[in-house]
Amino acid sequence: MNLPYFYEENIQGPVHTLTEETSRHCVQVLRMKNAEQLQLTDGKGNLFFATISDANKKHCKVVVDNLRGHVDSAPGTKKVCIAISLLKNPSRFEWFLEKAAEIGVAEIIPLICEHTEKENFRYERMNNILISAMLQSRQTWLCELRQPEKFDDAIDSASPGLKLIAHCAEEKKENIADMARIVNNVCILIGPEGDFSRREIQAATEKNFIPVSLGNTRLRSETAGLVAATLLMNERIRK
């Protein structure tokens, strides 16, 4: 049986005091006691095995037994970044965040585009969704969530690597799976309901973003983001 698994932002050893939230979950919810074991991650690729030494419901103390770094699962192997427009329905955006994190996307950049209908963004709530998804899928790397960026700023500051854009305009497009095999680091732009504007598409191509196809059907923005994540991460797994 898997040990209980928690996220702690700053893990100090050999004795570490859990946050009040984690302490409460361990002691009150799971009714864990002294000498019981659990696992911790700092979201930076590290997996800690620990033993409870003081089962306090507010300040539970654990002894860190050992540390194992998951080098083979590090985003450095291949970093997939999804830059996707904020959506009118926040629950759809939250759904995308959860699934992208479970798949193993390294970074998500919320975009504010010309056709973006809603710009409200609750960073703490969104980041907590990513934490929960990381723990649910028992990963050790926390997907990095950026603050929302205007489209032009995002394409100007895109990290080095393969840069892609998925849009619905009629023009020649590459197959995303073929493009994903070229380099390790990939960033793809996904537009809002109503797609990117013609100006935005032109601006992205001038910044060396390559148009790609996600298939023959027209997809919702959050579905397009998940399809792109799946195809790009599939190529990472194959490597």
Side-chain angles (χ1 to χ4, degrees):
M1 186 176 72
N2 289 327
L3 295 173
Y5 192 38
F6 300 99
Y7 168 71
E8 289 280 298
E9 188 171 356
N10 296 302
I11 298 176
Q12 306 293 331
V15 177
H16 174 71
T17 301
L18 304 178
T19 63
E20 184 171 345
E21 180 180 356
T22 303
S23 297
R24 185 182 303 111
H25 195 81
C26 284
V27 179
Q28 285 192 314
V29 179
L30 298 181
R31 299 185 182 281
M32 298 185 72
K33 298 178 175 56
N34 289 349
E36 291 194 90
Q37 291 187 310
L38 50 84
Q39 289 179 309
L40 303 171
T41 183
D42 58 2
K44 300 175 182 178
N46 295 314
L47 177 64
F48 298 82
F49 291 84
T51 303
I52 295 177
S53 59
D54 181 9
N56 184 293
K57 65 181 181 181
K58 289 188 176 182
H59 308 290
C60 181
K61 289 184 170 55
V62 298
V63 176
V64 179
D65 299 326
N66 53 38
L67 166 66
R68 186 173 79 237
H70 283 238
V71 179
D72 59 342
S73 64
T77 306
K78 181 172 185 177
K79 180 178 178 180
V80 173
C81 170
I82 309 287
I84 181 171
S85 171
L86 292 171
L87 304 177
K88 183 177 181 179
N89 186 337
S91 65
R92 292 188 181 275
F93 191 83
E94 292 173 5
W95 177 88
F96 163 74
L97 290 178
E98 179 183 71
K99 303 311 172 188
E102 289 179 8
I103 291 171
V105 169
E107 182 179 17
I108 295 173
I109 305 174
L111 293 178
I112 300 174
C113 308
E114 290 182 19
H115 295 161
T116 298
E117 294 189 40
K118 192 171 184 179
E119 300 178 12
N120 291 339
F121 184 76
R122 299 168 62 186
Y123 181 88
E124 185 175 353
R125 174 180 171 83
M126 301 293 186
N127 197 54
N128 284 336
I129 289 172
L130 296 180
I131 293 171
S132 296
M134 174 187 68
L135 295 175
Q136 172 66 33
S137 52
R138 299 190 80 84
Q139 298 183 67
T140 58
W141 288 93
L142 177 60
C143 177
E144 180 183 356
L145 179 63
R146 300 257 290 271
Q147 291 287 351
E149 296 183 15
K150 292 184 177 180
F151 179 86
D152 291 334
D153 293 336
I155 63 174
D156 283 341
S157 61
S159 301
L162 182 64
K163 298 186 290 186
L164 309 175
I165 180 172
H167 61 75
C168 300
E170 292 293 333
E171 66 175 64
K172 181 182 177 182
K173 299 174 186 176
E174 303 293 338
N175 183 290
I176 187 174
D178 293 337
M179 298 301 296
R181 299 188 183 100
I182 297 176
V183 297
N184 283 334
N185 294 333
V186 184
C187 177
I188 185 167
L189 305 175
I190 304 292
E193 297 98 333
D195 201 14
F196 294 115
S197 69
R198 188 68 242 182
R199 184 202 69 79
E200 288 172 330
I201 295 172
Q202 181 177 349
T205 55
E206 289 175 356
K207 296 289 184 179
N208 300 316
F209 281 84
I210 302 170
V212 292
S213 171
L214 299 178
N216 298 323
T217 59
R218 190 180 181 95
L219 305 174
R220 289 181 180 273
S221 296
E222 70 276 12
T223 308
L226 186 60
V227 169
T230 302
L231 292 172
L232 294 172
M233 291 304 300
N234 185 51
E235 291 305 316
R236 173 179 179 240
I237 292 170
R238 288 182 184 182
K239 291 177 181 292

Coordinates of all heavy atoms in Angstrom, one line a residue, residues 5 16 20 25 33-34 46 50 77 88 92 107 123 149 161 196 215-216 230:
Y5 N 0.9 10.8 1.0 CA 1.8 11.6 0.2 C 1.4 13.1 0.3 O 0.2 13.4 0.0 CB 1.8 11.1 -1.3 CG 2.8 11.6 -2.2 CD1 4.1 11.8 -1.8 CD2 2.5 11.9 -3.6 CE1 5.1 12.3 -2.7 CE2 3.5 12.4 -4.4 CZ 4.7 12.6 -4.0 OH 5.7 13.0 -4.9
H16 N 11.6 18.0 10.5 CA 10.8 19.0 9.8 C 9.5 19.1 10.4 O 8.8 18.1 10.7 CB 10.7 18.6 8.3 CG 9.8 19.4 7.5 ND1 10.2 20.7 7.2 CD2 8.6 19.2 7.0 CE1 9.2 21.3 6.5 NE2 8.2 20.4 6.4
E20 N 0.5 23.7 9.0 CA -0.7 23.4 9.8 C -1.7 22.6 9.0 O -2.4 21.6 9.5 CB -1.3 24.7 10.3 CG -2.5 24.5 11.2 CD -3.0 25.7 11.9 OE1 -2.3 26.7 11.9 OE2 -4.2 25.7 12.4
H25 N -4.3 17.3 8.4 CA -4.7 16.1 7.5 C -4.1 14.8 8.0 O -4.8 13.8 8.1 CB -4.3 16.4 6.1 CG -5.0 15.5 5.1 ND1 -6.3 15.7 4.6 CD2 -4.5 14.3 4.5 CE1 -6.6 14.7 3.8 NE2 -5.6 13.8 3.7
K33 N -0.3 8.4 13.7 CA 0.3 8.5 15.1 C 1.9 8.5 15.0 O 2.4 8.2 13.9 CB -0.2 7.3 15.9 CG -1.7 7.4 16.2 CD -2.1 6.2 17.0 CE -3.6 6.3 17.4 NZ -4.5 6.4 16.2
N34 N 2.5 8.7 16.1 CA 4.0 8.6 16.2 C 4.5 7.3 15.6 O 3.8 6.2 15.8 CB 4.5 8.8 17.6 CG 4.3 10.2 18.1 OD1 4.0 11.1 17.3 ND2 4.4 10.4 19.4
N46 N 12.2 16.1 -5.7 CA 12.7 15.3 -4.6 C 11.6 14.5 -3.9 O 10.5 15.1 -3.7 CB 13.4 16.2 -3.6 CG 14.6 16.9 -4.1 OD1 15.4 16.2 -4.8 ND2 14.8 18.2 -4.0
A50 N 9.6 10.0 5.5 CA 9.7 10.6 6.8 C 8.9 9.8 7.8 O 7.9 9.0 7.4 CB 9.2 12.0 6.8
T77 N 14.4 16.9 -18.9 CA 14.5 15.9 -19.9 C 13.8 16.4 -21.1 O 14.2 16.2 -22.3 CB 13.8 14.6 -19.4 OG1 14.4 14.2 -18.2 CG2 13.9 13.5 -20.4
K88 N -13.8 32.0 -20.5 CA -15.0 32.7 -20.0 C -15.5 31.9 -18.8 O -15.9 32.4 -17.8 CB -16.1 32.8 -21.0 CG -17.3 33.5 -20.5 CD -18.3 33.7 -21.7 CE -19.5 34.4 -21.2 NZ -20.5 34.6 -22.3
R92 N -13.7 25.4 -16.7 CA -13.1 24.7 -17.9 C -11.6 24.9 -17.8 O -10.8 24.0 -18.2 CB -13.7 25.2 -19.2 CG -15.1 24.9 -19.4 CD -15.6 25.3 -20.8 NE -16.9 24.9 -21.1 CZ -17.4 23.7 -21.5 NH1 -16.5 22.8 -21.6 NH2 -18.6 23.5 -21.7
E107 N 5.1 23.7 -17.4 CA 4.8 25.1 -17.2 C 3.5 25.5 -18.0 O 3.3 25.0 -19.1 CB 6.0 26.0 -17.7 CG 5.8 27.5 -17.5 CD 7.0 28.3 -18.0 OE1 7.8 27.7 -18.8 OE2 7.1 29.4 -17.6
Y123 N -5.0 33.1 -8.6 CA -3.7 32.4 -8.6 C -3.6 31.3 -7.6 O -3.3 30.1 -7.9 CB -2.5 33.3 -8.5 CG -1.2 32.6 -8.6 CD1 -0.6 32.4 -9.9 CD2 -0.5 32.1 -7.5 CE1 0.6 31.7 -10.0 CE2 0.7 31.4 -7.6 CZ 1.2 31.2 -8.8 OH 2.4 30.5 -8.9
E149 N -0.3 36.7 -18.7 CA 0.5 37.6 -19.5 C -0.3 38.0 -20.8 O -1.0 37.2 -21.3 CB 1.8 36.9 -20.0 CG 2.7 36.5 -18.8 CD 4.0 35.9 -19.3 OE1 4.3 36.0 -20.5 OE2 4.7 35.3 -18.5
G161 N 13.8 27.3 -27.7 CA 13.3 25.9 -28.0 C 12.3 26.0 -29.2 O 12.1 27.0 -29.8
F196 N -7.4 33.0 -32.0 CA -6.5 34.2 -32.0 C -7.0 35.1 -33.1 O -7.6 34.7 -34.1 CB -5.0 33.8 -32.3 CG -4.4 33.0 -31.3 CD1 -4.0 31.6 -31.5 CD2 -4.1 33.5 -30.0 CE1 -3.4 30.9 -30.5 CE2 -3.5 32.7 -29.0 CZ -3.1 31.4 -29.3
G215 N -5.6 18.2 -35.4 CA -6.5 17.2 -36.0 C -7.5 17.9 -36.9 O -7.4 19.1 -37.2
N216 N -8.5 17.1 -37.3 CA -9.5 17.6 -38.3 C -10.7 18.2 -37.7 O -11.5 18.7 -38.5 CB -9.9 16.4 -39.2 CG -8.7 15.8 -40.0 OD1 -7.8 16.5 -40.4 ND2 -8.7 14.5 -40.1
T230 N -1.0 16.2 -24.5 CA -0.9 14.7 -24.6 C 0.1 14.4 -25.7 O 0.9 13.5 -25.5 CB -2.3 14.1 -24.9 OG1 -3.2 14.5 -23.8 CG2 -2.2 12.6 -25.0

